[in-house]
Amino acid sequence: MMYVLATTNAGEVLKVPMFVEHFMEYEGNLSEFVMEHYDNHKKDADWDLDQKLPFINPPIVLTVHAQLPDYTFEIKKPKEIRIPQKNSIYQEKDFSNLYLSNIFQPPRLSSLI
C-alpha cells in the first residue's frame, strides 16, 4: 500500500482533509472554491496553503514515451506451384478376400510398368 501511495496519484487522496479544512475557511460556495483554486490559480496571500490541496501538484513519478516505428507491409499473391501428377506404380493383384478379416495380411506385390 505504501508503494501505491508513493508512486501514484492515490496519495493525493490523503490530502482530502486539507481540502475540507481550507474550504471551511473559504468564504463562498464549493463551486467558487474549486474554480478559484483549480482553474488557473494565481499567487495570492495563502499560496503555500493552496499548494497543499489535493491534485494541485500531483507527483510525476514515471513518464513513459513510446513511439512505434512506422512499418509498412504488403501481402503478395502467392505463386502458383504446379506439382506434376505421376502415375502410380502400385498395382494390386487379385487375392482372396479371406485375409481381410485377419489383422495380419500378406504383403502386396508391386511391379514396375
XYZ file of all heavy atoms in Angstrom, residues 2-3 9 12 18 23 25 28 36 44 63 66 70-71 77 94 98 110:
149
model
N 1.983 1.171 0.748
C 2.877 2.339 0.798
C 3.469 2.630 -0.576
O 3.625 3.784 -0.959
C 3.987 2.100 1.820
C 3.489 2.131 3.248
S 4.775 1.800 4.436
C 5.833 3.204 4.201
N 3.782 1.563 -1.329
C 4.329 1.743 -2.675
C 3.305 2.430 -3.582
O 3.643 3.335 -4.331
C 4.737 0.393 -3.257
C 5.232 0.487 -4.676
C 6.501 0.958 -4.953
C 4.419 0.114 -5.740
C 6.958 1.062 -6.249
C 4.856 0.214 -7.040
C 6.138 0.686 -7.294
O 6.575 0.795 -8.577
N -0.934 8.661 -8.046
C -1.706 9.796 -7.547
C -2.675 9.394 -6.446
O -3.434 10.223 -5.962
C -2.469 10.448 -8.696
C -1.547 11.191 -9.630
O -0.425 11.519 -9.268
N -2.005 11.454 -10.833
N -2.700 11.426 -3.260
C -3.411 12.704 -3.212
C -4.703 12.592 -2.406
O -5.197 13.584 -1.875
C -3.716 13.198 -4.627
C -2.488 13.529 -5.442
C -1.745 14.747 -4.923
O -2.393 15.785 -4.686
O -0.525 14.651 -4.754
N -7.159 18.285 4.109
C -6.663 19.647 3.888
C -7.639 20.419 3.001
O -7.892 21.602 3.219
C -5.284 19.594 3.253
C -4.710 20.955 2.896
S -4.536 22.049 4.297
C -3.010 21.442 4.939
N -11.551 24.634 2.640
C -12.873 25.059 2.181
C -13.681 25.677 3.323
O -14.430 26.631 3.112
C -13.641 23.881 1.564
C -15.065 24.207 1.224
C -15.359 25.119 0.219
C -16.119 23.625 1.911
C -16.672 25.430 -0.094
C -17.429 23.940 1.616
C -17.711 24.837 0.597
N -12.586 27.443 5.703
C -12.099 28.811 5.923
C -12.484 29.738 4.783
O -12.458 30.956 4.937
C -10.569 28.790 6.072
C -10.073 28.010 7.268
C -8.563 27.829 7.250
O -7.903 28.278 6.280
O -8.043 27.220 8.198
N -17.474 31.447 0.579
C -18.129 31.230 -0.703
C -18.592 29.779 -0.791
O -18.425 28.988 0.142
N -11.755 28.804 -8.160
C -10.659 29.707 -7.775
C -9.345 28.957 -7.576
O -8.292 29.448 -7.950
C -11.006 30.454 -6.479
C -9.919 31.425 -6.063
C -10.280 32.203 -4.817
O -11.476 32.458 -4.594
O -9.350 32.543 -4.073
N -1.567 34.203 -4.407
C -2.255 35.119 -3.507
C -1.636 34.963 -2.119
O -0.574 34.347 -1.963
C -3.769 34.871 -3.508
C -4.139 33.441 -3.172
O -3.243 32.629 -2.898
O -5.342 33.134 -3.181
N 7.266 8.806 -16.296
C 6.755 9.259 -17.578
C 7.346 8.358 -18.647
O 8.561 8.213 -18.734
C 7.161 10.720 -17.843
O 6.687 11.532 -16.779
C 6.585 11.198 -19.156
N 6.658 6.317 -25.669
C 6.976 5.241 -26.607
C 6.410 5.605 -27.966
O 5.300 6.110 -28.076
C 6.381 3.922 -26.131
N 7.286 3.153 -37.881
C 6.350 3.039 -38.999
C 6.785 1.892 -39.895
O 7.814 1.967 -40.569
C 6.313 4.333 -39.817
C 5.734 5.480 -39.015
O 4.915 5.197 -38.128
O 6.092 6.643 -39.273
N 6.029 0.842 -39.851
C 6.292 -0.306 -40.704
C 5.154 -0.441 -41.696
O 3.998 -0.311 -41.334
C 6.381 -1.603 -39.890
C 7.669 -1.763 -39.136
C 7.675 -1.804 -37.756
C 8.877 -1.896 -39.805
C 8.861 -1.959 -37.049
C 10.058 -2.052 -39.123
C 10.049 -2.085 -37.743
O 11.211 -2.241 -37.055
N 0.538 -11.889 -53.655
C -0.204 -13.071 -54.078
C 0.779 -14.235 -54.195
O 1.835 -14.094 -54.812
C -0.873 -12.807 -55.422
C -1.721 -13.947 -55.910
C -2.374 -13.604 -57.243
C -3.153 -14.798 -57.750
N -3.754 -14.535 -59.051
N -4.960 -59.662 -57.768
C -6.158 -60.308 -57.257
C -5.775 -61.365 -56.238
O -5.014 -62.284 -56.526
C -6.941 -60.960 -58.398
C -7.531 -59.916 -59.323
O -7.818 -58.807 -58.811
O -7.695 -60.193 -60.512
N -10.331 -63.592 -48.089
C -10.383 -64.236 -46.775
C -9.408 -63.587 -45.793
O -9.658 -63.548 -44.596
C -10.086 -65.744 -46.906
C -11.100 -66.539 -47.720
C -10.625 -67.990 -47.851
C -12.463 -66.492 -47.057
N 4.096 -55.213 -55.783
C 4.081 -54.113 -56.720
C 5.037 -54.434 -57.856
O 6.055 -55.079 -57.650
C 4.472 -52.811 -56.029
O 5.800 -52.905 -55.623
